[in-house]
Amino acid sequence: MSTINEGRAADALRAQDTDGQRGQAQARPLGGIAGWVDDRTGGAKGVSFLMKKVFPDHWSFMLGEIAMYSMIICLLTGVFLTFWFVPSQSQVVYDGSYIPLQGVTVSDAYRSTLNISFDIRGGLLIRQIHHWAALIFVVSVFVHMARVFFTGAFRKPREINWVFGTILSMLAAIEGFAGYSLPDDLLSGTGIRAMNGFVQSIPVIGSYMSYFIFGGAFPGESIIPRLYSVHILLLPAALVGLFTAHILLVFLQKHTQFPGPGRTNNNVVGYPFMPVYIAKAGGFFFIVFGVIALISSVVSINAVWGYGPYDPSPITAGSQPDWYMGFADGALRLLPGFLEFEAFGFTFSMNIFPGSILLLPLMWTIIGVYPFVEKWVTGDEREHHLLDRPRNAPTRTAIGVAGIVLYVVLFFAAGNDLMAIKLHLSINDITNLLRLLFFVGPPIAFWITKRICLSLQQADREKVLHGRETGTIWRHANGEFEEIHAPLTPSERWPLVQHEIQAPLVVSETTDAHGVANPVARKERLRAKLSHFYFKDRVEPVSPAELEAAHHAHGPAVVEEPSEPEAAAPAIERS
């Protein structure tokens, strides 16, 4: 026996649920393909966040974009080159289009490089675009890092991003070395031979490491295939991963901006990602691509056919590494030979090892940990989204300039032989001079830079108090002459007075009330000394009271000008 119940409450509820679902579907903002994708991925919220992301507008922010675009160009052109490059050191007889090398025994890698240059349509242009883009990629990464350092953009909450950028810059330099070593010409082979010497200088395990890397005695037949795998797989994957993480952190955190009216640590004044910023970024990508293509079309680089195939026997006098590896070569040339010694049956090549293997990780480690050192010295735990003007952080700016001078000295040392030949000077005199500059150059640069920054701060202070010079001379009734100064507008005055100047830390008591030594007193004394080093010399920004007193003191000698209206920002992102 069956019973049919009609009009049950549950049926009514189901009908209402269906009507509710139908209403929600009709109210859904996305439809078609976008709605279908959102139903399955839930990506609408993320896309909406991305589209509304605000980016400030300043020319220095383009440095990071140049690095990203040049890396993309390297990837695109690298894919083209992999179609024809043969990563093999097998010996073959060249029979291609370049007549001077016909009949010469070369490696398969060198022959394929010549074929790309002379027999593949557009191959030489793509090779040169790839090489120039790689050079621009490395230099833009370093310049971008310099901008971040000098403006204090590495401070909380961006320490992790600074570490990512530091690792990325080191990997970019290694990737460049692996790339220009692949053609197996005389110049790149000389670089690989130098690398083999660097590896062998590692104490105790150097010779074993060399056999492991080269698959036997130098040069072997394994180094080109192994460098090829590293160049097209391992390092590009690491670079793309670090770049992706770097960009994601930029999107998740508020973008830094230079100080100005209406700009605080709680907002970002600029243009939204869509449609303004994406249009500007897309256009800038094609500008970068066009400039690199133009340079590659008219300026030859790495003409491997002029060097010939690699042969371990010739000595290639005058060969130089690419600029980003020049500092390591210079460090080798400055190290004295007496640093080599023997102990416990081993030869310790301290005239090679510190300037080759040890220098790179040491330098990048110092760069990577600097934000944490400065944070510890200052004790500043706040988030910073407004950038510093370099003059307002004189010690940090001076440290950066001293590091650049140190790098430049090592870079010039890499060409001490060429300078001696071209200038008809003694190579020993040039080397000794560069050794002296290595020690005295950075301290002198530090002192000069810090004095310049403090002078610029003082000039800003005088400009705020007395106004800008107009060139107009006022003659008083008593015959006295005085130059008229025009007061600054609020927009002009804001960047000159908004910054904070931190006072040096004061050492806390080394003992408590009972005379027991404070266990952290030694650390606090060190921190206080470093804080004194950072903030002893400082120029306080003008306070509102000082500004008001200066206006009353000048009287008629100041020409009042109407204040400029503050321009409305296209978009403001608030926290």
Side-chain angles (χ1 to χ4, degrees), residues 1-37:
M1 179 179 179
S2 63
T3 303
I4 301 176
N5 297 322
E6 297 180 358
R8 292 183 302 175
D11 295 336
L13 288 175
R14 294 190 187 97
Q16 293 174 3
D17 291 345
T18 305
D19 294 340
Q21 294 174 1
R22 186 181 301 110
Q24 291 177 6
Q26 293 175 355
R28 186 179 298 278
L30 296 177
I33 297 177
W36 186 89
V37 173

Side-chain angles (χ1 to χ4, degrees), residues 196-257:
N196 177 51
F198 302 160
V199 173
Q200 288 181 332
S201 70
I202 301 175
V204 182
I205 63 172
S207 58
Y208 302 101
M209 290 293 296
S210 175
Y211 265 68
F212 173 76
I213 293 173
F214 287 88
F218 177 85
E221 294 187 355
S222 301
I223 187 62
I224 295 298
R226 291 179 179 181
L227 281 177
Y228 183 71
S229 299
V230 170
H231 182 68
I232 72 167
L233 293 176
L234 181 61
L235 289 179
L239 289 172
V240 172
L242 285 171
F243 234 112
T244 303
H246 187 81
I247 297 300
L248 285 177
L249 284 176
V250 170
F251 273 96
L252 292 176
Q253 300 165 346
K254 288 196 292 291
H255 201 292
T256 55
Q257 57 186 343

Side-chain angles (χ1 to χ4, degrees), residues 48 54 144 227 400 465 564:
S48 176
V54 173
H144 174 66
L227 281 177
L465 290 175
E564 298 177 0

